[in-house]
Amino acid sequence: MEKEKIKVFDTLLSYIEIGEGEPLVILHGWGANIESIMPIVNCAPKKFKVYAYDAAGFGDSEEPKDALSTEDYERYLVEFLRLKNIDKATFIGHSFGGKTLSIFAAKHPERVNKLVLVDASGVIPKRTLKYYLKVYSFKFLRGIYTKLNFFKDREEVLKKFYEKFGSDDYQNSKGIMRKTFVKVVNEATTQYFDKIIAPTLLVWGENDDATPLYMAKVFESKIKDSGLVVLKGAGHFSYIDDYSTFSAIINSFLR
């Protein structure tokens, strides 16, 4: 697989285009890249020309100059399509890629033939007792940590605290991408769901712990022409955990 480069706004993105036929655009999830969605690329029906790119700040693409929102990532998609002269296509998005597509499909319904959302984000998690205990424990620990280091620069102390105790996604990001993560992590896109009119396939892992199954049911209830397929025993990367079933479902829906 050989990646090409394309300048989208002020960011150099890596991308691939494979095959001939109708355009099919596939978006990867947060912290991922083209390589992570190659199983989806490989199972696409032969009638499609497949496009995929490393989103700004991921894979072999450049980091953006400023922190981006989910809406900004959607604008990158629009610009990529313009540069590649793609007026209308079928779209598949995993996780954060699905979140980005939920905005795009609502804003540009005339440009979407069919839509596939796989373990997509965009629904704010339920605030359970466990969640509040975790949050308050985190805040308590942060308070103790800063008091024990009261004689040091507060900004530097907090930076080290979050690097040590923050989420995996936070710890794995740095600089502008860490600011981007903080910006997008709590952005919901549920306000767009009822504006999506394209036939939509929802594919979810039964044991997805990143975007749990109840989130899929929010998508299904709000997107008018949608159907949900749950892959038994699969997790957040359901398309890898049960590849044979996923491939069969995708081929059936897209054909």
Side-chain angles (χ1 to χ4, degrees), residues 203-215:
V203 183
W204 237 265
E206 178 186 30
N207 299 325
D208 188 337
D209 58 359
T211 53
L213 188 55
Y214 72 82
M215 294 184 178

Side-chain angles (χ1 to χ4, degrees), residues 3-16 28 34 52-64 68 73 75-77 79-80 83:
K3 294 182 180 180
E4 300 181 59
K5 297 288 186 179
I6 188 170
K7 195 79 168 183
V8 180
F9 298 133
D10 58 353
T11 309
L12 196 62
L13 301 187
S14 293
Y15 77 99
I16 59 170
H28 65 73
I34 292 172
Y53 60 84
D54 290 332
F58 300 106
D60 295 320
S61 291
E62 291 181 340
E63 291 188 354
L68 302 180
Y73 277 101
R75 283 189 277 273
Y76 268 81
L77 171 59
E79 181 65 5
F80 176 83
L83 293 170

